Amino acid sequence: MSGPLKAWFERDGRLLRLRLDRPKANVLDAELVGAIEDALERHGGAAELRGILLDASGPHFSFGASIEEHLPDQCAAMLAGFHRLVLRIFASPVPVITAVRGQCLGGGLELASAGHLLFAAPDARFGQPEILIGVFAPAASCLLPERIALAAAEDLLLSGRSIDAAEAVRVGLVTGVAEDPEAAALDYFDRHLAPKSAGSLRFATRAARHGTIERVAAKLAAIEAIYLRELMPTHDAVEGLQAFLEKRPARWKDV
């Protein structure tokens, strides 16, 4: 299919491939987010499906969500659409495997964290840099504490620093590191998912996240409200976003 996302089936219809394809750096704007959700809606319910592999064209997985769409006049619609997609992936009864090369930042890491398994190239870098521009990462604030230890999640969320693939394995974010993460993900699928009953695999996937899905959805709704009603009316949130777009240092007022 044309557009910012490529979607196709492999392995006799048992694997759905989704590839971010928006040069440069696969920025997750409303069009790309909508394309991913549309592909999942159209193809994610196939009875024979045993896995979904999400990867990206180019040297980087994603630099994150569109900064322009974070500005006050667009951020409510942007968060609603992106969080709907994140929750769809997090609640998917079909295992979602993500393969990452290069930078996986901001909304890119939130998207990857929503899946079930994550394979990375040695050069991969993972981070939530939102705090560096005066905002925070709502979905990551819910997903990372579920996926890794709370202290490790808070480190990423509060510092805005990036970690390499080796550290990401140590904290439990990444399943495995390989020079070719797509090949590693396909090998995992072929060995561990393809031979299984698709129906039984769905039950097992749901069972593994039973209770967690509801908890994350409720927390995300509360945090989204904090972001929109409390953070975005502040000077520093808007100043940080505008400074980033204008490529200048932010002038914080601490309010």
Side-chain angles (χ1 to χ4, degrees):
M1 61 187 289
S2 60
L5 181 77
K6 289 185 168 65
W8 71 98
F9 284 101
E10 288 184 0
R11 279 27 180 202
D12 298 320
R14 296 182 175 195
L15 178 66
L16 173 62
R17 300 289 306 270
L18 299 178
R19 177 165 291 163
L20 309 182
D21 190 32
R22 162 146 287 167
K24 110 181 179 183
N26 298 308
V27 170
L28 292 161
D29 62 4
E31 182 184 10
L32 179 49
V33 168
I36 300 168
E37 186 158 28
D38 183 62
L40 292 172
E41 179 69 26
R42 286 175 180 238
H43 309 302
E48 66 274 21
L49 201 60
R50 289 156 169 83
I52 299 168
L53 175 53
L54 175 66
D55 61 21
S57 298
H60 301 291
F61 181 76
S62 175
F63 279 9
S66 165
I67 299 298
E68 289 84 356
E69 291 178 6
H70 275 77
L71 292 171
D73 61 335
Q74 298 183 63
C75 67
M78 180 275 296
L79 287 181
F82 184 65
H83 291 167
R84 184 171 59 247
L85 172 62
V86 165
L87 289 174
R88 176 187 282 270
I89 292 173
F90 192 73
S92 172
V94 178
V96 177
I97 310 171
T98 308
V100 170
R101 298 174 185 270
Q103 301 286 347
C104 181
L105 304 175
L109 181 50
E110 291 176 317
L111 189 69
S113 298
H116 301 85
L117 301 153
L118 202 165
F119 291 88
D123 72 341
R125 302 282 298 179
F126 302 89
Q128 297 291 166
E130 288 86 347
I131 192 65
L132 302 177
I133 57 172
V135 293
F136 68 87
S141 298
C142 302
L143 296 171
L144 289 180
E146 296 288 348
R147 191 174 186 97
I148 62 179
L150 179 59
E154 289 174 334
D155 171 27
L156 294 176
L157 293 165
L158 301 181
S159 71
R161 75 183 184 95
S162 294
I163 60 175
D164 61 19
E167 186 173 356
V169 170
R170 288 197 297 273
V171 300
L173 179 63
V174 165
T175 307
V177 178
E179 289 293 339
D180 187 337
E182 292 88 2
L186 288 169
D187 180 66
Y188 185 97
F189 174 82
D190 290 338
R191 290 197 296 150
H192 299 297
L193 302 182
K196 306 292 193 302
S197 156
S200 298
L201 195 57
R202 281 173 167 76
F203 285 118
T205 306
R206 285 172 52 198
R209 292 192 170 181
H210 181 71
T212 308
I213 295 168
E214 295 78 9
R215 182 169 64 249
V216 165
K219 182 178 178 181
L220 186 54
I223 290 177
E224 184 179 311
I226 292 172
Y227 192 101
L228 294 173
R229 298 173 191 171
E230 299 181 41
L231 174 72
M232 287 311 298
T234 68
H235 169 275
D236 284 358
V238 178
E239 165 63 14
L241 295 167
Q242 290 178 334
F244 179 87
L245 291 172
E246 295 167 11
K247 297 181 173 55
R248 60 171 175 82
R251 297 184 284 268
W252 305 126
K253 292 187 177 179
D254 301 326
V255 292

